[in-house]
Amino acid sequence: MAFEIIESCVNCYACEPLCPNDAIYQAKPHFMIDADKCTECIGDFMDAQCASICPIEGAILDDLGTEVNPIGSLTGIPMELLAQYQAALDATYQAALNDKSA
Amino acid sequence: MDLPVLNTSEAAESGGGCDSHSCGSTGDQLGHLPEHIREKVHNHPCYSEQAHHYFARMHVAVAPACNIQCHYCNRKYDCSNESRPGVVSEVLTPEQAVKKVMAVAANIPQMTVLGIAGPGDPLANPERTFETFRELTEKAPDIKLCVSTNGLALPESIDELCKHNIDHVTITINCVDPDVGGKIYPWIFWKNKRIMGREGAAILIEQQQKGLEMLAERGILVKVNSVMIPGVNDAHLAEVSRVVKAKGAFLHNVMPLIAEPEHGTFYGLMGQPGPTHEELQKLQDACSGDMNMMRHCRQCRADAVGMLGEDRGQEFTLDKIEDMEIDYPAAMVKRAEVHARIEAELKIKDQANAAKAELAKAGWVAIQGMKQDAPKLRPVLMAVATKGGGVINEHFGHASEFLIYEASGHDVRFIGHRKTLPYCDGGDTCGDGESALDVTIRELSGCEVVLCSKVGYEPWGPLEAAGITPNGEHAMEAIEDAVLAVYEEMRVAGKLEAKPLMQQKAA
């Protein structure tokens, strides 16, 4: 039973010092959780510490692969707006890539 | 010689008055403060309006973690073209940060201040923040250290802050009412739990106020920053101003909300508007009855380098500083010389201003017409292009920002700044200069004059058509003297009794 940090992590360091098991470590391209050490904070805290400070929705998954902080749960931004924003970001990114290769 | 002298007695009666140099800009903002505080801030560009014309600052981005979420912030975004708090290009280790600070201090001797302001919260990264301060205290003792925080971890950090000889702290306080706070802060992280909404905001407010009181008790200077969010806390900020002043903050900085959809923030995506220039000024004026207001803040990035309003960060990226050989003892000598020269210049200016005020008081020199007509004269906003030094020394087409001054029958005061795109990037041709000019004209709405060292033929017509008279006749003159001189010309020409000839077009 362990949490996992996925690619949407922005490397803000906030979780790393909070882990009671020293399971979180800096890595490329983002912070990682050592599954052997992670206990999901059971026995130490009421709430898993990394997931309680992480500002990025969806960046931490539980052992079932479920987002601990689902989309919209932290910022209160409606899902459709976030989707539009993400699509616009992706389009800008793609355009920049195309420019580069052209 | 035409001495620009103001009617001080009238200014005194008006309540907010003072001589031209001591209103809003320098003296009035700091003038009533005890000498030891003035001594602390006189060369700090973020605390003294006068200092920001002469001295530079830098931020090092060693603090990425944050313990709260604000609706105007988004930690995902990073763009070197964007200038706002919370945005950085690269997060530094304390060791890299120290190296960068020494490289900048050696190359920009006007740099007096090193701040840690993020991109998260410095006190949510205590080890990284304090290690940077510890090293710098030892290696670069001539640099002032300061920190900007949301205040949540402030009470528990006070002892450590005092150890590092940090005598300036900025706290961002957007509210003193948890009901308002619940609309600004979706969550905080407190005592190992994420606490949502109003409940979290209440804890944050309590810690901010406690931290402010503790700092004041220990004689550390506190500036309070507030973000003005129309419809959310705008009506509440005058109350914030009163409360923080009573608790010992010495300067209040009300800043406009920055919110654009492309930032991906809650406010940006929800279409929350920021204040207009007029709304911001009105609120700053309303708060100034209770508090010294800061109006020259540029809301800079958490890795900004240089004079306020400029960012030379690109000259000091990690790979560039890697190759720099820094002889810091030699740099300290040079820095001390540069600082002494600037301070001597400022002293002469202060003496000259004091002398002018004395003369006016004695009634030896006065602009008689101004005295008699003062109550009838309407105030005029003027935009100024400057590269620093307190003088008009920037071409219209090269300015990326304009300082705004208001001249009236009894004083000249600094109001704020407006950012724009340089009309012409300094090249021979101005390509799509047309649209950049439109932006400038829109940004300068409300101004009747733009003072610059030079202005090209091309923008002249459109500026005049928009009711903004370009004026390049006061190049290299002190800003406030020039503003006053132009105001006097307008008075003589009979332009101050009537309404502005042109109604400004809001584009």
Side-chain angles (χ1 to χ4, degrees), chain B residues 13-306:
Chain B
E13 281 159 22
S14 78
C18 37
D19 75 290
S20 82
H21 215 79
S22 67
C23 199
S25 60
T26 52
D28 191 51
Q29 185 198 41
L30 305 175
H32 69 289
L33 295 170
E35 188 54 36
H36 72 279
I37 294 186
R38 285 166 68 176
E39 181 52 36
K40 276 186 183 175
V41 298
H42 79 284
N43 64 352
H44 194 316
C46 313
Y47 283 68
S48 155
E49 199 274 327
Q50 186 183 44
H52 103 282
H53 294 287
Y54 301 92
F55 294 104
R57 54 71 180 106
M58 74 179 288
H59 290 162
V60 281
V62 294
C66 198
N67 46 12
I68 69 172
Q69 175 72 52
C70 305
H71 271 328
Y72 44 74
C73 185
N74 175 1
R75 305 301 311 289
K76 289 186 222 176
Y77 206 78
D78 165 29
C79 170
S80 63
N81 291 324
E82 210 197 339
S83 184
R84 64 188 167 97
V87 172
V88 296
S89 292
E90 51 194 354
V91 170
L92 307 183
T93 65
E95 193 191 349
Q96 290 168 329
V98 169
K99 192 153 190 210
K100 182 173 178 180
V101 172
M102 294 173 73
V104 171
N107 285 286
I108 307 180
Q110 302 92 317
M111 195 272 268
T112 48
V113 171
L114 176 274
I116 298 182
D121 187 76
L123 304 181
N125 302 253
E127 283 174 26
R128 300 166 63 90
T129 296
F130 290 122
E131 194 188 328
T132 308
F133 284 146
R134 205 158 33 235
E135 290 277 306
L136 284 173
T137 308
E138 197 184 303
K139 294 185 176 159
D142 62 336
I143 295 174
K144 272 181 199 287
L145 304 177
C146 57
V147 68
S148 179
T149 176
N150 62 43
L152 182 62
L154 191 49
E156 67 196 66
S157 311
I158 296 267
D159 290 338
E160 191 70 24
L161 277 172
C162 291
K163 259 191 231 164
H164 299 289
N165 198 23
I166 293 157
D167 49 21
H168 303 73
V169 174
T170 298
I171 316 175
T172 300
I173 299 180
N174 295 319
C175 54
V176 290
D177 176 350
D179 286 329
V180 177
K183 297 177 198 156
I184 302 171
Y185 307 104
W187 59 264
I188 70 164
F189 181 80
W190 177 248
K191 295 201 188 299
N192 302 100
K193 284 176 91 70
R194 196 189 313 261
I195 299 176
M196 312 297 289
R198 187 188 186 281
E199 190 189 348
I203 296 168
L204 174 65
I205 290 167
E206 195 189 331
Q207 295 303 307
Q208 289 171 335
Q209 297 298 320
K210 195 166 146 194
L212 167 56
E213 287 166 18
M214 291 169 85
L215 288 168
E217 266 168 32
R218 295 178 190 222
I220 295 178
L221 285 186
V222 184
K223 166 160 75 70
V224 168
N225 281 353
S226 300
V227 180
M228 177 182 180
I229 311 158
V232 176
N233 71 348
D234 51 343
H236 177 57
L237 283 179
E239 166 76 4
V240 171
S241 227
R242 270 191 298 279
V243 170
V244 300
K245 186 193 182 184
K247 294 197 174 171
F250 90 108
L251 188 60
H252 191 195
N253 174 25
V254 176
M255 310 175 290
L257 172 71
I258 302 175
E260 299 296 338
E262 59 268 30
H263 299 159
T265 59
F266 176 86
Y267 285 146
L269 290 173
M270 300 298 278
Q272 166 69 45
T276 63
H277 299 306
E278 291 73 21
E279 287 165 346
L280 179 66
Q281 189 191 326
K282 208 172 146 198
L283 179 60
Q284 288 173 333
D285 288 347
C287 293
S288 68
D290 292 299
M291 188 75 193
N292 308 302
M293 299 304 292
M294 169 173 175
R295 298 169 194 262
H296 66 280
C297 178
R298 303 298 199 278
Q299 297 173 279
C300 42
R301 293 163 57 99
D303 58 3
V305 171

Side-chain angles (χ1 to χ4, degrees), chain B residues 42 249 308 432:
Chain B
H42 79 284
L308 298 198
D432 58 352

Side-chain angles (χ1 to χ4, degrees), chain A residues 12-13 45 49 51-52 54 75, chain B residues 64-65 71 128 189 192 194 266:
Chain A
C12 83
Y13 289 72
F45 295 103
Q49 294 299 286
S52 296
C54 180
T75 57
Chain B
H71 271 328
R128 300 166 63 90
F189 181 80
N192 302 100
R194 196 189 313 261
F266 176 86

Side-chain angles (χ1 to χ4, degrees), chain B residues 342-395:
Chain B
I342 296 173
E343 287 181 18
E345 191 186 321
L346 290 180
K347 201 167 177 193
I348 292 169
K349 283 197 176 173
D350 285 347
Q351 281 166 352
N353 283 310
K356 277 183 208 166
E358 277 303 307
L359 282 173
K361 214 181 282 172
W364 289 343
V365 188
I367 298 168
Q368 286 305 322
M370 214 171 201
K371 238 180 179 175
Q372 286 153 11
D373 298 343
K376 289 181 225 151
L377 300 181
R378 63 183 178 82
V380 172
L381 290 186
M382 301 190 202
V384 173
T386 174
K387 283 192 264 208
V391 294
I392 296 165
N393 56 0
E394 178 71 297
H395 288 211

